[in-house]
Amino acid sequence: MTTLRELYLTHVGKIADKWTLFLDVYERIFARFRDKPLALVEVGVANGGSLELWARYFAAATVVIGCDVDPKCGSLRFEDRRIGVVVGAVNSAPAYKEITDKAPTFDLFIDDGSHTSRDIVLSFLNYFPRLKPGGLYVIEDLHCSYLAGFGGGIDRPDSSMAFLKTLADFVNRPYWERDKPPATLLAPVFGANHAVDPALFSSIFAIAFYDSLCVIEKRSAEDQPGLGDRVMVGNEASVFPKALALQAEENARKA
Ligand SMILES: C[S@@+](CC[C@H](N)C(=O)[O-])C[C@H]1O[C@@H](n2cnc3c(N)ncnc32)[C@H](O)[C@@H]1O
């Protein structure tokens, strides 16, 4: 089967614009979706090439929707009828309605839009609830999170990266030793009187950071919350003998 990189490098027509690292990561994380009848949304269409590539890579996709604030994107024409473009700012009410009318829920969401911290965070709050269980929410070009011109900065508590790092704490929510109300953890990002419901983050199964890229996976029906059983196998414990007692305890608990 042709790899994404092969498809990408032999692409002709509408320009697509991705970093090499992203193509390599996508090859790994998107492989399991490749022959699924999925719905994909990408924020940021520009010349339209990436939408064409997604439609070719995900040959069984039922719908590939792009959203761009640039009205010129409305004139783009695609031979592949599965591709649609919504013109508007992704977090405006009309664009949200149009996107979710075309794809009420989706398997893959790629944020390659304005790259401002504000838009990245708002888009996550708006669209992550629409991601299907087991789906992936991807944010590109997060180097912008460190740039003042994009509302970012290494010390800014409301940058997109500061927000995303907080999500990593929500993945480990059961282990916060202090009885800290979850909403207060979001105060540095959204302000003390914010109305963001932290319950939104309880369905995050995993969050992975790469150079300038973040991938958030929504828990699927098969992924139970928590660590599951402790699994201790083997019968030699010369370095840490207590392991035998712990193993016996664990086995008794399961019996
Ligand atoms: C980096 S380009 C997209 C490139 C394209 N995804 C690709 O891979 O070839 C970013 C695009 O985001 C669009 N954009 C900027 N702010 C936006 C917003 N608030 N909503 C939707 N699109 C936006 C810009 O008009 C621009 O075309």
Side-chain angles (χ1 to χ4, degrees), residues 8 15-18 42-51 54 67-71 73 86-92 95 110-116 119 123 140-141:
Y8 199 86
I15 283 184
D17 184 3
K18 299 276 183 229
E42 182 172 34
V43 186
V45 172
N47 292 297
S50 58
L51 294 181
W54 295 135
C67 168
D68 204 295
V69 74
D70 188 335
C73 291
V86 171
V87 174
V90 63
N91 291 308
S92 67
I110 301 166
D111 183 351
D112 186 24
S114 74
H115 305 314
T116 62
D119 274 340
S123 295
E140 292 189 356
D141 287 1

